[in-house]
Amino acid sequence: MPQVEQSNETRRSAVDRTVVQVAEKVRVADGVVTLTLTAPDGGRLPDWTPGAHVDLTLGDGLSRQYSLCGDRWDAHSYRVGVLLEPASRGGSRYVHEQLEPGHVVGLGGPRNHFPLVPAESYLFVAGGIGITPLLPMIVQAQLLGADWRLLYGGRTRSSMAFLAELSAYGDRVAVRPQDESGLLDLAGFVGDPRPGTEVYSCGPAPLLTAMEAACAAWPARALHTERFAAAEQGPPVRTAAFDVQLHRTGRTVTVTPDVSVLEALGAAGVDVLSSCRQGTCGTCETTVLAGVPDHRDSLLSDDERAAGDCMYPCVSRSCSDRLVLDL
């Protein structure tokens, strides 16, 4: 999957754990609400950049990731959009049915694995709630005077959030509900490769797969995608157990085929901060000092996988008999 290359410093920035209060909850489309989050004392929240997301710790310890879609220049509030998933594992249902203004939730981040890189022009493609990380990117592109266009699809017009905000941009934005226009014409929108143009897309897995096909002739790093669900992975490279050596203590933990590296570490009393456990959020990123990781995440670029200097132990495993981790 083509993704933007990031520095280790960007990927490994510290994750702040704090609490925020729900200041406002607004229904913005069928099945979509926005939450405005503020510090309980009214203080400043950590800065963020377009494409960033936060972890929210909800009822019963649920932790879910949501893209920041508000005003990045407002230092005292965050905004996130939450879709009520039909097959919710509890997070979106809790937000829609139980979370109310005045309630306090845990906050992790922000972190950014989907940053907006400098370019002369941008093509943005959103599917449904995938519009959320693209909203601040559009604002940034507009501020910088870059040329840009957005193709925004959804099931129905009433299910598509933020249409009023986007209407201010006129014909730069093409709104295409499926019940009115059918499937998105991705090939027609993207067109032929153009120097200086970057393509950003976020939405359900079928959209991202179709975007990869539409951009097959583009340079490998021109397409940037963000997944809300983990990409399909093939079987692991090895099915036998392997050892993980903890560099800071010299201790060795054996990882058997039936558990993840993260689970094996936890069972051995080694605490590694984690959230999604699907290889999509980046919370558990760990430095690899020796050995060859079997990368099974949906975050690292091909170059980063080849470098082999970090891994996400919630899903990734080992190609070698031993991994040495900076733990």
Side-chain angles (χ1 to χ4, degrees):
M1 176 179 67
Q3 291 189 346
V4 63
E5 183 176 5
Q6 305 158 51
S7 68
N8 289 345
E9 180 180 358
T10 299
R11 294 200 319 267
R12 297 171 187 173
S13 58
V15 178
D16 296 322
R17 290 283 170 175
T18 182
V19 296
V20 288
Q21 184 172 330
V22 179
E24 187 177 46
K25 177 180 178 181
V26 179
R27 180 181 177 275
V28 293
D30 292 346
V32 181
V33 298
T34 58
L35 303 176
T36 299
L37 308 170
T38 59
D41 62 359
R44 184 184 181 99
L45 295 172
D47 294 338
W48 58 281
T49 54
H53 71 269
V54 292
D55 301 325
L56 295 186
T57 303
L58 308 168
D60 296 327
L62 294 170
S63 182
R64 298 291 184 265
Q65 296 75 47
Y66 299 107
S67 297
L68 291 170
C69 61
D71 180 3
R72 63 171 295 211
W73 306 111
D74 179 354
H76 296 87
S77 72
Y78 290 158
R79 183 179 71 165
V80 298
V82 183
L83 170 68
L84 178 58
E85 297 281 359
S88 171
R89 293 177 294 144
S92 69
R93 189 166 300 282
Y94 178 85
V95 169
H96 278 255
E97 297 180 357
Q98 299 184 52
L99 197 61
E100 297 296 340
H103 288 180
V104 171
V105 296
L107 175 77
R111 291 184 305 279
N112 197 343
H113 296 275
F114 191 44
L116 186 70
V117 300
E120 297 175 4
S121 63
Y122 300 95
L123 295 175
F124 299 112
V125 179
I129 198 63
I131 188 64
T132 50
L134 302 186
L135 288 175
M137 293 186 181
I138 288 170
V139 173
Q140 184 76 359
Q142 189 81 358
L143 286 172
L144 294 174
D147 186 29
W148 65 270
R149 290 187 295 137
L150 167 69
L151 179 63
Y152 180 18
R155 298 187 316 278
T156 63
R157 192 174 295 269
S158 64
S159 72
M160 299 170 68
F162 310 111
L163 292 182
E165 290 182 30
L166 292 168
S167 67
Y169 296 114
D171 60 7
R172 285 180 180 264
V173 176
V175 176
R176 298 289 185 267
Q178 186 173 349
D179 64 340
E180 298 176 16
S181 307
L183 296 177
L184 295 177
D185 180 11
L186 300 179
F189 179 75
V190 172
D192 295 327
R194 295 184 291 283
T197 299
E198 301 290 324
V199 184
Y200 280 79
S201 184
C202 185
L207 171 67
L208 301 186
T209 299
M211 282 298 299
E212 291 171 352
C215 293
W218 287 63
R221 296 182 184 178
L223 174 62
H224 312 265
T225 60
E226 182 171 63
R227 295 180 180 271
F228 289 153
E232 290 292 330
Q233 302 285 348
V237 170
R238 60 181 294 147
T239 56
F242 57 92
D243 290 333
V244 171
Q245 182 178 333
L246 311 182
H247 175 71
R248 300 180 197 176
T249 64
R251 186 178 176 188
T252 296
V253 175
T254 298
V255 181
T256 55
D258 57 324
V259 298
S260 68
V261 175
L262 187 68
E263 290 169 335
L265 292 173
V270 181
D271 185 23
V272 177
L273 190 65
S274 66
S275 181
C276 74
R277 294 182 177 242
Q278 296 180 9
T280 60
C281 76
T283 303
C284 66
E285 183 177 336
T286 303
T287 298
V288 177
L289 300 177
V292 181
D294 176 12
H295 296 293
R296 305 179 61 75
D297 61 89
S298 300
L299 290 165
L300 296 177
S301 69
D302 291 342
D303 287 347
E304 290 167 332
R305 289 175 178 235
D309 59 357
C310 72
M311 67 178 289
Y312 298 98
C314 66
V315 291
S316 295
R317 303 186 67 80
S318 181
C319 298
S320 51
D321 292 336
R322 184 186 66 140
L323 287 176
V324 180
L325 303 181
D326 189 17
L327 293 172

